[in-house]
Amino acid sequence: MLTDGHASVLRLINQFGPLSRTELVRQLGISKASMSALASDLIDRGVLAEGEMVYGAGRPSVRLELSANSAFFIGVSLATVPFTLTLTDLRGGVLSTAELTQGATPEAIVEEIAAAIPGLFDGHPQALDRLAGIGLAVPGVVDAATGTCVRSTLLDWRDVPIGDLVAAATGLPAYVENDANALALGQHLFGSLRGCDQGTMIAVGDGIGCGHIINGELHRGARGGAGEIAHATVDPSGLPCQCGKRGCLDTLASVRSIAAAARAAGLDCGLAALDAAANRGERAAIDILHGAGAALGLAIAQIVQSLDPERMVIGMTDGPVTGLFARVVRQTVEANVMPDDHRRLDLTITRLENQAWAIGAASIAAGRGFFRV
Amino acid sequence: MLTDGHASVLRLINQFGPLSRTELVRQLGISKASMSALASDLIDRGVLAEGEMVYGAGRPSVRLELSANSAFFIGVSLATVPFTLTLTDLRGGVLSTAELTQGATPEAIVEEIAAAIPGLFDGHPQALDRLAGIGLAVPGVVDAATGTCVRSTLLDWRDVPIGDLVAAATGLPAYVENDANALALGQHLFGSLRGCDQGTMIAVGDGIGCGHIINGELHRGARGGAGEIAHATVDPSGLPCQCGKRGCLDTLASVRSIAAAARAAGLDCGLAALDAAANRGERAAIDILHGAGAALGLAIAQIVQSLDPERMVIGMTDGPVTGLFARVVRQTVEANVMPDDHRRLDLTITRLENQAWAIGAASIAAGRGFFRV
DNA sequence: GCCCTTGGTTCGAAGAGCAAACTAACCAGC
DNA sequence: GCTGGTTAGTTTGCTCTTCGAACCAAGGGC
């Protein structure tokens, strides 16, 4: 098994790209001797490989890089429609993907997952015997320690030991995480939060999800409920939400609620069409996008004030990432965080592909097995 | 010096009270051999002592307890008026306190601190040669790693290396922390957040402060700005705030702003008087307390949704902790967190003595030197 | 008084980490 | 092309931590 020392080397190389032993020594504050042993050990296991040589004064240094082909992971997203599977390597590269016909019961879903796995290896036979684990992203509250989904409204689950079920059906170590958390971890390891130890990922799609990376680790909260900003109250006198409250962020800024507002105003309900209408100066479209963007921006500003993240990434599954909505989000954030701080917050608004959820799910397995995140 | 192993033993005993070696072995997952060595080492150093014996089947076990007199700490609060000093022991007990005449410059303040220290030891000579450090609670943004106050509006400071100054003047290891963070750590180690690894402390006084304990550690954020909920926007169209924005929590729920609202309505501005007036049914008083409580409750609900803490403590420097304000806070929190979760959040509203800030400051020194928090 | 149970210590082995000495590989300057 | 300077990485021997297993300690119950 990998020790903590091994894992910290892998984390660093994953963050910064190939590094020489000496650079690792400086970063980790360990001795050259220990580093030498760790490196040869990781090379022997095939996890690291010697790559580019860097010439300067003195003996050239050898960059150590992650061998993408040393380990593979399967990610299962139950957060997307349809459910998706991916096969990824140690560097987060996607080898293949599959989609599931959406089963109704946990047992049916597990069966479908097991049935879909062999197909992932078509053309990638080398991945089969280096498959290290399977990660699941589940929409709902999850007990990551036991691999149980405590509650999922979307799936209509309650206390489903999905991790054990998948492990039993596939014979693989199975890891379970909340969908937004999986996404955040995926971005932390392989995406736009890479190298950021204090970061927040917000996914704006049909619903709104949020995961926090704190001190380089996923923050799950006392009972796995951290990041549930979709049901943070933004406007106490707002529209009723399916959660029972009023004016939740979800009723104001999710793609679903924006579309509903557009439909009610007699507009085309796609985000891109709405943005185009706003660009043409249509008042109703502008109002809708403005309201939604301001609500999200306010919620984000509150997170910034409370957590002081280094970077924040908003991933949008729909709509232009430079449109009115995104502009209003940015402006609202800047207007609502303490003047001295906002200049230093790195706020990125980007497109979120469906695949990102499954990559996030796979990254959980990679994180537990290799990077210790 | 203490190793991590030593510190985790001390943390556990501080959390749960006296524990036997075997109980510690179970909790820490280390071997009996290691535990035996750690315990005798800590006893030799005088930090632990054998206490009560517990009889059951087999050989009775010996509880190990913290020797309160093995280490002492000075806490300096620059967050209170006047500035206060305390001398505390390893168990957070207060031996003596002092107040400072509020100097104007950092140098003057440091001089006063150094001058006030000898008086703390009157009647406690044993503490002098076991003085382990001095902690400072500073209102403002702090770089805890370097002991620098980056910015403090209240003190009118910018980049003041207060830690170095105090260390030089006193010859003691000096540790600096934001005031709300110090308070939170103090409560985590010795107060109402004891034993809670996911907790939030909110101080409602003239201003509003907030500190988060995440994974048993203080969460400082990317640049020491975490917990700044005083300037989280609650009502975008609210009153202007001295920070430049509008409708900050500070303008709605701080004792200062409640008093201002009361004054404007021609009411007695003390919180207790206001509460009494509300109890008599005076509309204006009810409105003021309701508005303030709802604002704080909303901000708290957002923290709960985002961080999912296990416990949350609101410390009030003024007013009754069971009055209308407190009731509205509770109700608003319960109404604005996801239905399933609020039942499990442990929300405590308690009185916050002035001394708590200085104890918090001292706990920083204790945390760095002994408990590794 | 003798077993049984549980608490705690001692001992030898294994392993992780280190400093310091060593080898390796290149450049620059003569 | 030789040599000294410089940086990269390995080897060696030591320390320190941690562990399992055997052992001693100190009760209770019969």
Side-chain angles (χ1 to χ4, degrees):
Chain A
M1 223 20 238
L2 264 56
T3 68
D4 284 356
H6 289 125
S8 53
V9 170
L10 297 181
R11 263 201 309 275
L12 226 50
I13 295 182
N14 182 56
Q15 259 190 40
F16 297 110
L19 294 173
S20 73
R21 292 169 177 81
T22 313
E23 287 166 321
L24 287 163
V25 160
R26 279 193 285 263
Q27 292 273 340
L28 291 170
I30 61 175
S31 69
K32 293 204 291 178
S34 304
M35 187 61 241
S36 184
L38 283 176
S40 59
D41 200 35
L42 286 166
I43 291 172
D44 286 349
R45 293 162 188 249
V47 184
L48 287 186
E50 300 197 326
E52 189 196 3
M53 298 196 50
V54 179
Y55 296 81
R59 172 173 169 177
S61 58
V62 186
R63 293 253 166 91
L64 298 173
E65 55 191 30
L66 291 177
S67 307
N69 291 324
S70 61
F72 299 88
F73 311 94
I74 293 175
V76 182
S77 161
L78 306 183
T80 43
V81 179
F83 298 155
T84 51
L85 261 76
T86 75
L87 176 64
T88 70
D89 61 32
L90 188 57
R91 293 214 285 233
V94 174
L95 281 77
S96 59
T97 60
E99 297 187 345
L100 298 183
T101 56
Q102 203 133 346
T105 65
E107 290 74 19
I109 292 172
V110 170
E111 219 165 284
E112 282 175 30
I113 292 172
I117 288 178
L120 290 172
F121 294 91
D122 288 352
H124 311 285
Q126 82 284 10
L128 243 178
D129 52 335
R130 292 190 185 161
L131 191 54
I134 182 166
L136 292 111
V138 178
V141 180
V142 161
D143 180 346
T146 61
T148 306
C149 172
V150 177
R151 174 169 47 88
S152 169
T153 343
L154 275 174
L155 299 173
D156 194 22
W157 283 5
R158 195 165 261 283
D159 294 318
V160 175
I162 183 71
D164 288 347
L165 294 177
V166 169
T170 62
L172 292 169
Y175 310 100
V176 185
E177 195 57 74
N178 165 270
D179 55 350
N181 282 351
L183 185 67
L185 188 65
Q187 298 296 313
H188 175 57
L189 284 178
F190 305 122
S192 39
L193 282 179
R194 191 189 285 235
C196 173
D197 277 355
Q198 312 284 343
T200 295
M201 174 81 207
I202 297 183
V204 179
D206 264 0
I208 294 179
C210 169
H212 303 294
I213 304 292
I214 292 183
N215 288 329
E217 285 178 29
L218 215 43
H219 175 63
R220 300 188 177 87
R223 6 191 131 67
E228 280 288 348
I229 60 162
H231 298 285
T233 306
V234 176
D235 175 8
S237 57
L239 292 173
C241 175
Q242 57 183 2
C243 80
K245 308 191 290 120
R246 277 181 174 277
C248 297
L249 181 60
D250 200 61
T251 67
L252 289 157
S254 68
V255 171
R256 193 194 324 109
S257 61
I258 293 174
R263 220 173 4 251
L267 292 164
D268 192 333
C269 59
L271 220 61
L274 216 52
D275 190 67
N279 271 338
R280 287 193 307 271
E282 284 192 34
R283 195 72 239 165
I286 293 176
D287 282 351
I288 290 171
L289 290 176
H290 228 279
L296 182 59
L298 205 57
I300 290 176
Q302 272 149 357
I303 294 175
V304 173
Q305 288 294 121
S306 190
L307 285 184
D308 186 25
E310 177 188 344
R311 196 182 306 163
M312 200 129 183
V313 177
I314 305 175
M316 297 181 50
T317 60
D318 191 16
V321 297
T322 53
L324 178 61
F325 177 75
R327 280 202 304 281
V328 174
V329 170
R330 273 185 197 284
Q331 285 165 7
T332 310
V333 171
E334 291 188 11
N336 287 286
V337 297
M338 289 254 292
D340 246 31
D341 298 329
H342 80 259
R343 261 167 263 147
R344 299 191 283 178
L345 173 71
D346 174 3
L347 177 64
T348 307
I349 303 181
T350 177
R351 173 150 309 286
L352 190 65
E353 304 299 337
N354 236 358
Q355 217 182 34
W357 297 94
I359 296 177
S363 75
I364 295 164
R368 301 272 184 104
F370 285 78
F371 300 109
R372 296 288 167 78
V373 183
Chain B
M1 222 19 237
L2 264 57
T3 68
D4 284 356
H6 290 125
S8 53
V9 170
L10 297 182
R11 261 201 310 274
L12 227 49
I13 294 183
N14 182 55
Q15 259 189 39
F16 297 110
L19 294 173
S20 73
R21 293 168 175 82
T22 314
E23 286 166 322
L24 287 162
V25 160
R26 279 193 285 264
Q27 292 272 339
L28 291 169
I30 62 175
S31 69
K32 293 204 291 179
S34 304
M35 188 60 241
S36 185
L38 284 176
S40 59
D41 201 35
L42 286 166
I43 290 172
D44 287 350
R45 292 161 187 248
V47 183
L48 287 186
E50 299 198 326
E52 190 196 3
M53 298 196 50
V54 180
Y55 296 82
R59 172 173 167 176
S61 59
V62 186
R63 294 252 164 92
L64 300 173
E65 55 191 30
L66 291 178
S67 307
N69 291 323
S70 61
F72 298 89
F73 311 93
I74 293 175
V76 182
S77 161
L78 306 183
T80 43
V81 180
F83 298 156
T84 51
L85 260 78
T86 75
L87 176 64
T88 69
D89 61 31
L90 188 59
R91 293 213 285 232
V94 174
L95 282 77
S96 60
T97 60
E99 297 188 345
L100 298 183
T101 56
Q102 204 133 345
T105 65
E107 291 74 19
I109 292 172
V110 169
E111 217 164 285
E112 282 176 28
I113 293 172
I117 288 179
L120 290 172
F121 294 92
D122 288 352
H124 310 287
Q126 82 285 6
L128 242 179
D129 53 335
R130 293 192 184 159
L131 191 53
I134 182 165
L136 292 110
V138 179
V141 180
V142 161
D143 181 348
T146 62
T148 306
C149 173
V150 177
R151 174 168 48 87
S152 169
T153 342
L154 275 174
L155 299 174
D156 194 23
W157 284 3
R158 197 163 260 282
D159 295 318
V160 174
I162 183 71
D164 289 347
L165 293 178
V166 169
T170 62
L172 292 169
Y175 309 101
V176 185
E177 194 56 75
N178 166 270
D179 55 350
N181 282 351
L183 185 67
L185 189 66
Q187 298 296 312
H188 175 57
L189 284 178
F190 305 122
S192 40
L193 282 178
R194 191 189 285 236
C196 172
D197 278 355
Q198 312 285 343
T200 294
M201 174 82 207
I202 297 182
V204 179
D206 263 1
I208 294 179
C210 168
H212 302 295
I213 303 292
I214 292 183
N215 288 331
E217 285 177 29
L218 215 42
H219 175 64
R220 301 189 177 86
R223 11 191 125 67
E228 281 288 346
I229 62 162
H231 299 283
T233 306
V234 175
D235 175 8
S237 57
L239 293 173
C241 175
Q242 57 184 4
C243 81
K245 308 191 289 120
R246 277 181 173 277
C248 296
L249 182 59
D250 199 62
T251 67
L252 289 158
S254 68
V255 171
R256 192 193 326 109
S257 60
I258 293 175
R263 217 167 14 244
L267 292 165
D268 192 335
C269 58
L271 220 64
L274 216 53
D275 191 67
N279 268 337
R280 287 193 307 270
E282 283 189 37
R283 195 70 238 166
I286 294 176
D287 283 350
I288 289 170
L289 291 176
H290 227 280
L296 182 58
L298 205 56
I300 291 177
Q302 273 148 357
I303 294 175
V304 172
Q305 287 294 122
S306 190
L307 286 184
D308 185 25
E310 178 188 343
R311 195 182 307 163
M312 200 132 185
V313 177
I314 305 175
M316 298 183 50
T317 60
D318 190 18
V321 297
T322 54
L324 178 62
F325 177 75
R327 280 202 304 281
V328 175
V329 170
R330 272 185 197 285
Q331 284 166 6
T332 311
V333 171
E334 291 188 11
N336 287 288
V337 297
M338 289 253 295
D340 246 33
D341 298 329
H342 80 258
R343 262 168 262 145
R344 298 192 283 176
L345 172 71
D346 174 2
L347 177 64
T348 307
I349 304 181
T350 178
R351 171 149 311 284
L352 188 65
E353 304 299 338
N354 236 359
Q355 215 182 35
W357 297 94
I359 296 178
S363 75
I364 295 165
R368 302 273 184 102
F370 285 78
F371 300 110
R372 295 288 166 77
V373 182

